[in-house]
């Protein structure tokens, strides 16, 4: 085994799920586990989330839902985008819940439900998504009543909810979130005028769950907060979330380099003095961005912050440890805590002008995941 691992603290996942459920009392909690649980491992995270109180799981792809079913997870699973026609047979067979937002999508789903022998006694649950202003996917508000009627008229499918997605809920005070909720309210009022009352309404992602009580409605869909990361720096500290993932390696090689020597590809890093340089067997093929060293990225060695020295390569990176005693096999923490120091995914994100989501999702499959169990 490589001396590399991503440690996932399932106790932190359970804590975060319970915390989010307490933040939105009266709302169902959907734990979003798409993209292999944001890089944490979809199956272990999903099991933990359900045990901690999540009533629904969210995925982006039918294949992601099928993976959870194959692992024996029986909780409701919502596919968050309209599935392609050739995915619908599996969606029905694995008893997933569908998102739709076009007439063609409704028709294709109804046909798949017929082929799958679904009846009104055991229908495919359908979530009708409304585009309230993000303009990624979703039906236009004027299209929602006709689409809802088509769903209600089709045998083997049932309207489960009307929902939308907030574009700027991670920006406290941004008036656009209220505008989106106004549009959703108006759409639901149009449905009511047509005699249609969807069982559920939902709009809140992690940001809205934390910051906007109005958005919580009947169900909240929490992704990044389940993993202990704030949706944005503006929401950091609003809830005592616990980051679940650490990225750890062992130094594979140590050498002494004299002052003035330059390191790694491009020779862009110059040793200002004689230094101990540690090689760490992680690189951009594992999800450590190549430019993290150039933007001031650090790691923890011996409980101290030490700079990444030079260009990160595909399989390795270098660390300038100064005069610290370092030996091959010593622990190097890229994300996580060592001693009194902590480096977070958001620290990487700040260096890279991105978001913590991209950091944790980018940790590649070459990095083994190790799971710490829920503490009793």
């Amino acid at each position: 085994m490589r001396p590399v691992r991503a440690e996932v603290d399932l106790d932190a996942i359970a804590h975060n799920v319970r915390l989010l459920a307490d933040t939105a009392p009266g709302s169902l909690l959907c734990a979003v586990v798409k993209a292999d649980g944001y890089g944490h491992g979809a199956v272990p995270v999903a099991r933990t989330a359900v045990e901690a109180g999540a009533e629904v799981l969210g995925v982006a792809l039918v294949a992601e839902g099928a993976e959870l079913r194959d692992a024996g997870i029986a909780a409701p699973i919502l596919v968050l985008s309209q599935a392609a026609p050739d995915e619908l047979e599996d969606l029905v067979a694995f008893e997933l819940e569908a998102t739709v937002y076009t007439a063609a999508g409704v028709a294709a789903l109804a046909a798949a439900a017929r082929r799958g022998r679904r009846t009104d006694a055991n229908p495919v649950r359908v979530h009708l998504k409304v585009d309230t202003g993000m303009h990624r996917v979703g039906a236009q508000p004027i299209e929602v009543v006709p689409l809802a009627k088509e769903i209600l008229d089709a045998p083997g499918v049932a309207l489960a909810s009307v929902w939308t997605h907030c574009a700027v809920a991670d920006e406290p005070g941004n008036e656009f979130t209220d505008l989106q909720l106004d549009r959703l309210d108006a759409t639901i009022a149009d449905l009511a005028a047509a005699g249609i009352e969807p069982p559920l309404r939902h709009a809140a992602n992690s940001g809205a769950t934390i910051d906007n009580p109005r958005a919580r409605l009947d169900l909240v869909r929490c992704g990044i907060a389940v993993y202990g990361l704030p949706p944005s720096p503006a929401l950091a500290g609003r809830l005592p979330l616990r980051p679940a993932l650490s990225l750890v390696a062992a130094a594979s090689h140590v050498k002494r380099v004299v002052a003035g020597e330059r390191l790694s590809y491009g020779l862009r890093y110059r040793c200002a003095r004689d230094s101990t340089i540690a090689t760490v067997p992680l690189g951009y093929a594992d999800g450590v961005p190549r430019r993290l060293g150039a933007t001031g990225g650090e790691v923890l060695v011996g409980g101290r912050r030490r700079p990444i020295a030079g260009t990160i390569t595909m399989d390795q990176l270098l660390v300038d440890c100064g005069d610290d005693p370092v030996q091959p096999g010593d622990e190097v923490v890229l994300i996580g805590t060592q001693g009194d120091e902590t480096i977070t995914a958001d620290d990487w994100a700040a260096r890279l002008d991105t978001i913590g989501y991209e950091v944790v999702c980018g940790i590649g499959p070459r990095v083994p995941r190790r799971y710490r169990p829920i503490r009793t």
Side-chain angles (χ1 to χ4, degrees), residues 80-298:
L80 294 164
S81 289
Q82 183 171 290
D86 59 1
E87 297 176 291
L88 291 175
E89 181 177 342
D90 282 344
L91 184 147
V92 173
F94 286 102
E95 298 190 348
L96 309 179
E97 300 191 5
T99 288
V100 299
Y101 32 78
T102 67
V106 174
L109 181 61
R114 288 194 299 273
R115 293 193 299 272
R117 302 180 185 276
R118 300 296 282 271
T119 67
D120 290 344
N122 180 32
V124 179
R125 287 169 53 83
V126 181
H127 298 251
L128 177 52
K129 187 171 185 180
V130 188
D131 179 5
T132 56
M134 188 168 170
H135 301 314
R136 183 174 58 177
V137 293
Q140 295 304 303
I142 196 171
E143 300 171 326
V144 169
V145 170
L147 285 172
K149 289 180 177 178
E150 291 181 24
I151 294 167
L152 293 171
D153 289 342
V157 300
L159 181 64
S161 82
V162 172
W163 68 287
T164 196
H165 192 65
C166 295
V168 291
D170 57 351
E171 300 177 14
N174 192 316
E175 295 178 355
F176 192 73
T177 299
D178 279 329
L179 176 59
Q180 287 191 270
L181 296 174
D182 289 344
R183 290 171 175 168
L184 181 63
D185 287 345
T187 301
I188 291 169
D190 289 342
L191 286 166
I196 301 169
E197 294 189 10
L200 296 174
R201 306 155 302 145
H202 50 108
N205 52 15
S206 289
T209 300
I210 293 168
D211 185 61
N212 195 319
R214 180 187 171 195
R216 293 169 189 159
L217 301 175
D218 302 310
L219 177 146
V220 296
R221 306 180 311 274
C222 295
I224 196 67
V226 166
Y227 307 96
L229 300 179
S232 68
L235 293 177
R238 292 282 292 273
L239 290 179
L241 299 168
R242 287 168 45 191
L245 184 141
S246 301
L247 182 59
V248 183
S252 59
H253 185 61
V254 177
K255 68 193 76 63
R256 194 72 178 165
V257 174
V258 300
E261 286 294 303
R262 296 180 180 273
L263 310 179
S264 195
Y265 286 128
L267 303 177
R268 293 182 176 87
Y269 186 91
R270 179 181 180 278
C271 289
R273 58 189 177 113
D274 293 357
S275 295
T276 297
I277 303 298
T279 301
V280 181
L282 273 171
Y284 60 77
D286 303 295
V288 185
R290 186 173 182 270
R291 64 191 184 93
L292 183 60
T295 58
E298 297 173 312

